[in-house]
Amino acid sequence: MSLVMRSSDDPVVTGGTVKVLAAGALPWRVSGGDLEVLMIHRDKYDDWSWPKGKLDDGETVPQCAVREVREEVGLHITLGIPLPAIRYPVKAGQKIVYYWAAQVDGGRAVPDGHEVDSARWVSPAEARRWLTNPSDIDPLDVLESAYIDGRLATVPLIVLRHAKAKPRSSWTKEEGKRPLAATGKRQALEVAALLSAWEPQRVASSPWTRCIQTVSPYLKSRGLGVKLVPGLTEHEATRKPASVRKTIRKLMDKGVPQAVCTHRPVLPIVFDALAERLTGPLARFLPGRDPYLRPGAIVVIQQPMAKLRKPVSVEVFETFDD
C-alpha cells in the first residue's frame, strides 16, 4: 500500500501492526437547511454503518473509498476533508478504516442488493442512535463539527512531484527534456487514478517534459488542458523563489479543485508558501526534509469554500516505486 499520512488521524490508531486495511466515506448533503448523512445496512451482519470496504490489490486508500461508495450505493463522489480513521479487531487481527467526508449534490443512493440491502439519509443525531459500531461515531462527530464551523464544504489543492525520471547521470541532452523512466510512466498512470479521487478541474505544471508526462494520463482521462508555469521549473525557481510563492498563493485563491506538478528542488519553496496559510499544528504535516516527496507522491490541502478560509487538512500519499 502507498504511504498514508493525514492530519485527521491519531497515530495511536494508525500505528502498529495492521492486518486489514479498508476505506470509505461519510456521504453528506444539506436538505431543507439541515445536515444529513448517508447510512447503510448490511444484511449479512445486520449492522448500520458507513459505506466502506477492503482495498483491492494495487489500490490506494483514496481510490478504495471512492470505489466502495460507488459499488455499495451507486453514488459517484469526490473526497472532501479526511475524517478520523478507526481501528478495531476482526478475526484476521487489527483492522483500520480510513474515512473521508463526501458531499453529494445529486444522485440517488441505490443499495447494491448484495452487501448492502438498505441506505437512508438521516440527521447526525439519528445516525448516532442507529450506528452499530460505537467507533463509527468518531468520524461523524468531526464531520458535524466541521459543518457547524463552516469547514465541511471544501476545495482541494494537490501538489504533485513528477514521477520517476531517467537519471540525470545518463542524460546528455537539455535538462528540461529529460523524460520519465519506464517506472515513471507506470507511476503516471497510478497518479491519474489517485487524482481522480479528488477530480481537480485545473492542472498547472512546470513545462519540463517529465512533469508534462506525469500529468498527461490524468488530463487525457478528463479531457483537460494544462497551464504551463515556467516559474515552476528547477532553474526558474532557483532564480526567482518569490515567483513560486506567488504562484502557489494565486492557486490557493482560485477556489476550484486543482493540482500543480513540479520538481523536488522546488518543493520546499512550495511548502513554505502553503505553510503561510496553515494554522496551528497543520504545518507539521507538510514534508519538511529532502526529498520532501518521493517521485509521483502528492500532498492534498483542503480549503473551506466559505470565504476561502485557511486550509483545514493535510494529506500525503505515495505511489509505488519499483
Side-chain angles (χ1 to χ4, degrees):
M1 186 201 74
S2 58
L3 171 72
V4 177
M5 184 178 72
R6 310 189 310 164
S7 57
S8 59
D9 298 332
D10 184 339
V12 174
V13 172
T14 56
T17 302
V18 179
K19 291 296 185 180
V20 181
L21 282 171
L26 276 63
W28 66 274
R29 69 183 185 184
V30 177
S31 179
D34 296 321
L35 174 66
E36 294 182 336
V37 290
L38 183 71
M39 303 182 66
I40 63 166
H41 181 266
R42 299 180 299 173
D43 182 60
K44 179 179 179 180
Y45 301 102
D46 190 22
D47 67 349
W48 286 95
S49 60
W50 312 117
K52 65 179 182 301
K54 292 185 290 186
L55 273 66
D56 286 344
D57 290 341
E59 189 176 43
T60 63
V61 175
Q63 288 172 263
C64 177
V66 172
R67 175 184 56 78
E68 285 292 338
V69 174
R70 182 180 66 250
E71 291 180 353
E72 293 193 340
V73 292
L75 290 174
H76 174 80
I77 64 166
T78 57
L79 302 181
I81 63 171
L83 301 172
I86 66 171
R87 182 186 189 113
Y88 53 92
V90 293
K91 286 184 179 180
Q94 289 294 308
K95 178 177 181 178
I96 291 180
V97 185
Y98 291 91
Y99 281 116
W100 281 266
Q103 185 172 10
V104 176
D105 293 322
R108 187 168 66 93
V110 180
D112 66 1
H114 174 57
E115 292 190 28
V116 178
D117 63 349
S118 181
R120 62 173 59 174
W121 287 100
V122 298
S123 69
E126 290 176 292
R128 290 187 182 90
R129 291 196 295 268
W130 281 92
L131 285 169
T132 303
N133 184 349
S135 62
D136 278 340
I137 295 176
D138 294 342
L140 174 63
D141 286 346
V142 171
L143 184 149
E144 184 178 29
S145 177
Y147 173 73
I148 293 170
D149 294 341
R151 298 180 291 106
L152 185 55
T154 58
V155 291
L157 172 64
I158 303 168
V159 176
L160 167 66
R161 178 183 171 184
H162 66 73
K164 192 171 185 177
K166 289 189 174 182
R168 294 178 192 265
S169 59
S170 64
W171 185 253
T172 59
K173 300 178 182 178
E174 183 181 339
E175 177 62 16
K177 294 182 179 180
R178 183 159 59 96
L180 295 182
T183 293
K185 292 177 181 179
R186 293 192 292 272
Q187 284 178 331
L189 297 175
E190 185 173 345
V191 166
L194 186 55
L195 290 178
S196 296
W198 294 273
E199 292 189 4
Q201 300 169 9
R202 299 180 185 177
V203 178
S205 175
S206 157
W208 284 7
T209 298
R210 50 194 181 272
C211 279
I212 299 302
Q213 289 181 326
T214 298
V215 298
S216 286
Y218 177 77
L219 296 173
K220 290 177 181 178
S221 71
R222 301 287 161 172
L224 298 174
V226 61
K227 180 180 180 180
L228 300 179
V229 183
L232 290 173
T233 65
E234 294 182 24
H235 291 170
E236 287 300 308
T238 300
R239 292 176 59 246
K240 300 178 181 179
S243 178
V244 176
R245 294 186 180 91
K246 183 178 180 181
T247 294
I248 297 302
R249 294 184 193 112
K250 288 177 66 175
L251 291 175
M252 295 183 76
D253 291 338
K254 293 292 185 182
V256 296
Q258 57 196 318
V260 55
C261 184
T262 189
H263 310 264
R264 178 190 57 78
V266 186
L267 290 174
I269 308 173
V270 171
F271 294 149
D272 281 347
L274 293 176
E276 293 173 358
R277 300 285 183 97
L278 296 173
T279 58
L282 279 181
R284 68 182 175 86
F285 288 94
L286 291 173
R289 297 195 307 179
D290 193 30
Y292 303 100
L293 292 175
R294 297 178 68 181
I298 68 172
V299 171
V300 183
I301 304 289
Q302 291 283 359
Q303 299 181 98
M305 296 178 66
K307 298 181 181 179
L308 287 181
R309 298 175 183 172
K310 290 182 178 293
V312 295
S313 64
V314 179
E315 305 169 81
V316 180
F317 299 98
E318 291 182 353
T319 56
F320 69 88
D321 185 358
D322 61 1

